[in-house]
Amino acid sequence: MFNQRSMDFLAALMQSASPTGYEAGAAKVFRDYLADCCEVKCDVMGNTIAALNTAAPMRVLIDAHYDEIGFQIVYISDEGLLYFRNNGGIDKLNVPSSEVDILTANGMVPGVIGKKPIHLLTPEERNKTLELKDMWIDIGASSREEAEKLVAVGDPVVMRANFRMLNGNRFISKGTDDKIGAFIVAETMRRLAQRQLNVAVFGVGSVQEEVGLRGATASAFAIDPAVGFAIDVGFATDLPDIPKKQYGDITLGKGPALSRSCDNNIVLGQIIRATAKAKNIPYQESVSHRASGGTDAAAIQLTRAGVATALLSIPNRYMHSQVEMCDLRDAEAAVELLTETIAGLTGEESFIPVR
């Protein structure tokens, strides 16, 4: 499993603040971790690109996004309360009473998301769905003037850092979607740096996935890969009331899920599965929650004249909440599978799916 340096990197990455469009915190952690083993640069969007063996003709991309869902301040009231909108998809049921950090020009400002106490709700209010407009962020200010000395309209907001190991192999954190994927990209690049490679490899921590796969679209165009691996979280179905007949059987700790949705190249998928079986690496089969896919794999696949893509999904419980849960055994298996698959490429493969 992962050594102490890797675990320190995981903790730092999970605790970094990287709301969509404001990912500099996670980018620095990712960049610093790979600087001693790869060529590392950032692009104008904030993507971090780490490279190995760049002179090889065949280019392989490994991508995961390190942006996280959050909020953005849109209004400051006379009482000094901050009203906000979502920045990326938010599960509204998980938002009230959350502790948050506001990223300001002068550093982080802590706050808490409040709403009207349940005792004061009318019967009609108790029966309706609570919307974000019914909540606010309280930073302890007593007036608009006092609040404006600390924060500004437009400032991004993230859930408070809360990374914690549970029962040995599993952990919870905000932003696990998809910093666990960025962790896997970085660990794979470090291991590939010690291998003899026949292909050029580019490990990308990408931005703005949560608002439309934007970072991966730009970085894939710049890299122009023949092969692209996307690593993201996927729904774990080992929980009550999630129908396996509809979403498949995906369990924490049994390895990454290999997808067979439309944005996965058939030939590349066969190579990955053959590698897993030859090296005895655990994995699970998945068709994703929709046939068309929708992760960064979809953006990479449509780059230029097309890319042979594959999605590795890390089982995740409680997605888009403050306590997303993943298992380190799935991350380890994903790193091992990516490392062995990429190290095994000759650079002469054809990924055209013909019989």
Side-chain angles (χ1 to χ4, degrees):
M1 290 289 284
F2 301 108
N3 60 28
Q4 189 58 52
R5 184 180 182 188
S6 296
M7 292 303 298
D8 290 344
F9 167 60
L10 176 65
L13 190 62
M14 290 296 169
Q15 294 179 91
S16 65
S18 58
T20 295
Y22 303 87
E23 298 93 349
K28 185 179 188 310
V29 174
F30 187 88
R31 181 175 68 246
D32 290 350
Y33 186 63
L34 291 175
D36 65 343
C37 66
C38 302
E39 301 174 30
V40 180
K41 66 179 182 179
C42 289
D43 67 16
V44 70
M45 291 191 69
N47 297 309
T48 301
I49 303 170
L52 294 168
N53 197 36
T54 56
M58 180 180 284
R59 294 173 166 235
V60 176
L61 166 62
I62 321 172
D63 165 274
H65 69 92
Y66 47 41
D67 63 310
E68 61 183 296
I69 57 173
F71 311 100
Q72 190 173 30
I73 297 172
V74 297
Y75 176 72
I76 303 174
S77 74
D78 291 340
E79 299 88 352
L81 302 173
L82 318 179
Y83 289 82
F84 57 92
R85 67 182 179 190
N86 60 294
N87 186 19
I90 296 290
D91 185 344
K92 294 176 289 187
L93 295 177
N94 295 322
V95 172
S97 302
S98 297
E99 292 186 77
V100 297
D101 286 316
I102 303 160
L103 280 61
T104 79
N106 297 311
M108 283 190 181
V109 172
V112 62
I113 295 179
K115 67 175 185 65
K116 187 188 294 186
I118 190 170
H119 314 74
L120 305 183
L121 296 178
T122 66
E124 293 77 14
E125 288 173 329
R126 293 189 185 193
N127 290 327
K128 78 171 187 176
T129 301
L130 192 67
E131 301 292 339
L132 294 185
K133 65 181 179 62
D134 301 317
M135 310 175 210
W136 51 82
I137 297 172
D138 194 332
I139 59 172
S142 59
S143 67
R144 182 201 300 267
E145 293 73 21
E146 187 177 344
E148 287 178 338
K149 292 177 181 178
L150 299 171
V151 301
V153 168
D155 283 346
V157 182
V158 291
M159 296 295 182
R160 182 183 180 187
N162 63 336
F163 173 77
R164 179 180 298 180
M165 294 298 304
L166 297 177
N167 198 27
N169 292 306
R170 296 177 180 179
F171 69 89
I172 58 167
S173 179
K174 58 95 177 178
T176 300
D177 178 6
D178 181 35
K179 291 178 185 178
I180 186 61
F183 171 77
I184 290 166
V185 170
E187 289 297 312
T188 301
M189 293 299 289
R190 293 197 70 86
R191 295 191 192 182
L192 287 172
Q194 301 175 30
R195 302 288 288 268
Q196 186 69 37
L197 300 174
N198 299 308
V199 297
V201 186
F202 299 83
V204 176
S206 61
V207 300
Q208 297 189 39
E209 188 272 351
E210 297 291 357
V211 290
L213 319 180
R214 296 179 179 183
T217 299
S219 61
F221 186 91
I223 293 167
D224 190 17
V227 176
F229 295 94
I231 300 88
D232 209 328
V233 292
F235 296 105
T237 61
D238 54 350
L239 293 171
D241 302 323
I242 299 179
K244 291 180 172 60
K245 291 186 291 184
Q246 185 175 353
Y247 297 112
D249 188 2
I250 305 297
T251 301
L252 264 67
K254 292 188 176 182
L258 303 183
S259 180
R260 297 186 66 184
S261 57
C262 290
D263 49 6
N264 284 255
N265 179 270
I266 295 171
V267 178
L268 183 57
Q270 292 169 344
I271 292 173
I272 299 170
R273 287 167 175 83
T275 301
K277 291 171 183 176
K279 300 293 183 178
N280 198 29
I281 302 170
Y283 72 93
Q284 305 177 72
E285 291 285 2
S286 171
V287 294
S288 300
H289 70 287
R290 56 174 176 256
S292 58
T295 65
D296 277 348
I300 297 167
Q301 181 191 43
L302 298 179
T303 298
R304 297 181 184 249
V307 178
T309 50
L311 171 66
L312 279 71
S313 298
I314 307 305
N316 179 289
R317 290 179 178 175
Y318 321 122
M319 198 179 296
H320 280 208
S321 77
Q322 310 91 309
V323 290
E324 295 178 323
M325 181 184 295
C326 286
D327 193 306
L328 288 176
R329 291 170 293 188
D330 299 326
E332 171 63 31
V335 172
E336 188 176 357
L337 183 51
L338 285 164
T339 300
E340 295 299 333
T341 299
I342 295 168
L345 294 175
T346 67
E348 302 295 330
E349 290 84 0
S350 170
F351 300 95
I352 300 174
V354 296
R355 292 184 181 274

